[in-house]
Each structure stands twice: as structure tokens, then as C-alpha cells.
Amino acid sequence: MEPETYTSLDLETTGLNPDAEAILEIAAVKFRGKEVLESWHTFVNPGRPIPAYIRALTGITPDMVAGAPGFASVSAELGSFLRNTTIVGHRISFDVGFLAAQGLALSNPVVDTWEMCSVLLPTLPSHKLSALAGVLCSDHPAPHRAMADALAAKDVFLALVDKVSGLEYSLLQQLAGLLQASDSGWGPILRRMAARA
């Protein structure tokens, strides 16, 4: 595993449209290898009702967010926590895009676990985070809760790095080149692995 520090990130929101919806919960887990360095979590008051299907999906109730800060109150602290790390997540463009729409534009490198799963494990019946966690590392007992999803994304990322490190050198080099050319966050990781092989 790289000595680099990574931070897995997950948001729960009132819906999928970042321009029309709001954040309910945020979690981030900073790690180096298998060591968790620190974590960050907060509920966020969305300033609007939580749709019934989101309550059913996440288990987040109005009472849980009623006394929580608004996103503007936690944005700087979250930005500080994420500073100088590579952000890891499952379909991470959603989370980073949602933060940008809410006023926190990040310039961090990002690594998408879904992307590498679709390359290495294309025949799996599901590429949902909970399914991948079950196949690659451990059960995921609380999907659609920010801290559980951030921890699962970390574990899936580490399992994928282990899988990639077992590839034949020529395949690792080819994959590194393709991902680097496509501007994937996995490109630099695979390049470093190929250089050490």
C-alpha cells in the first residue's frame, strides 16, 4: 500500500440533484495503509423536509438533523480535514460535485472505487458499495449512512489495491497507462506500483 494519506468521503443527501437538494450527513476517514489516522462526522440540517424515501433508505429522521448545523457552518472545517489528501469514495464524483454545488469546491485528487471495480470485476452482478464490501472485504452493516459508507469505501479501496498489486507486471503497466491517459485518479497509484514492481 502507498505511504500516501487518503481520505474516504461519503455524503447522505435529500436527493440526487446537487442544485436542488441538500446534505444530511457527512463522514470522512483519513487513513494511511490500514491505519485509520482520524475521522470526521456530522449531521447537517438541510433546512427542508426529508423525503419519505430518503428517511426509509438512510434511517435519518428529522429529529436527528433538527439541532445540527447548516452546511455553511461546517464547510470550512470539512475543507480543512480534507486538505492535502487524495479523496477516495464510491462514485465519488457525486459527493465532490455535491460539495461544490454547496460552495465547497475541492481541488484534491480523487479515486473512485466504482471505477476500478468495473475494470477488475466486470462480471459481478452488482457494483453497489454494500455488495462490493461483501465480496472484497467484509459485510457492510449500515449502507446509506455516511460513516459506514466511508469506512466501507476505505476497505474496498484497500482490497482493490491488493488485487491490482497481484496483476502481472505487463498488465499492470498497460492498465496504468490507460488510466493515466484517461485522467483517472487510479493512474498515479498504478504508475507508482508499476515503478516499484
Side-chain angles (χ1 to χ4, degrees):
M1 179 61 209
E2 326 297 322
E4 184 176 347
T5 299
Y6 295 90
T7 303
S8 57
L9 172 70
D10 188 78
L11 310 180
E12 301 304 329
T13 64
T14 59
L16 298 177
N17 182 348
D19 296 319
E21 303 294 347
I23 297 170
L24 292 171
E25 186 181 29
I26 310 168
V29 178
K30 196 170 291 183
F31 62 100
R32 187 178 299 123
K34 294 184 179 180
E35 179 189 5
V36 172
L37 304 174
E38 56 183 320
S39 58
W40 189 92
H41 171 265
T42 187
F43 284 110
V44 178
N45 189 324
R48 68 185 71 193
I50 304 172
Y53 78 97
I54 296 292
R55 293 198 307 270
L57 182 69
T58 64
I60 298 173
T61 66
D63 286 347
M64 294 165 80
V65 299
F71 180 71
S73 300
V74 300
S75 175
E77 187 180 346
L78 175 60
S80 178
F81 187 85
L82 296 172
R83 188 173 296 124
N84 300 324
T85 65
T86 296
I87 297 173
V88 170
H90 199 68
R91 294 191 179 267
I92 191 62
S93 60
F94 170 81
D95 304 88
V96 171
F98 217 104
L99 290 176
Q102 302 298 309
L104 179 58
L106 301 169
S107 58
N108 307 53
V110 295
V111 178
D112 189 349
T113 53
W114 179 88
E115 178 185 31
M116 186 55 73
C117 286
S118 65
V119 170
L120 291 181
L121 304 163
T123 60
L124 283 182
S126 172
H127 286 104
K128 288 182 181 178
L129 180 59
S130 55
L132 292 166
V135 168
L136 292 171
C137 36
S138 61
D139 289 335
H140 182 19
H144 303 296
R145 288 303 305 274
M147 184 55 75
D149 282 354
L151 288 167
K154 171 188 72 72
D155 291 343
V156 167
F157 170 75
L158 293 171
L160 289 169
V161 169
D162 283 345
K163 248 185 173 343
V164 169
S165 68
L167 295 175
E168 290 183 12
Y169 177 70
S170 60
L171 183 55
L172 177 59
Q173 257 196 328
Q174 277 187 310
L175 189 54
L178 286 170
L179 291 170
Q180 193 85 38
S182 67
D183 205 27
S184 165
W186 283 98
I189 296 172
L190 269 63
R191 278 281 186 219
R192 290 194 295 271
M193 292 172 76
R196 290 200 304 268

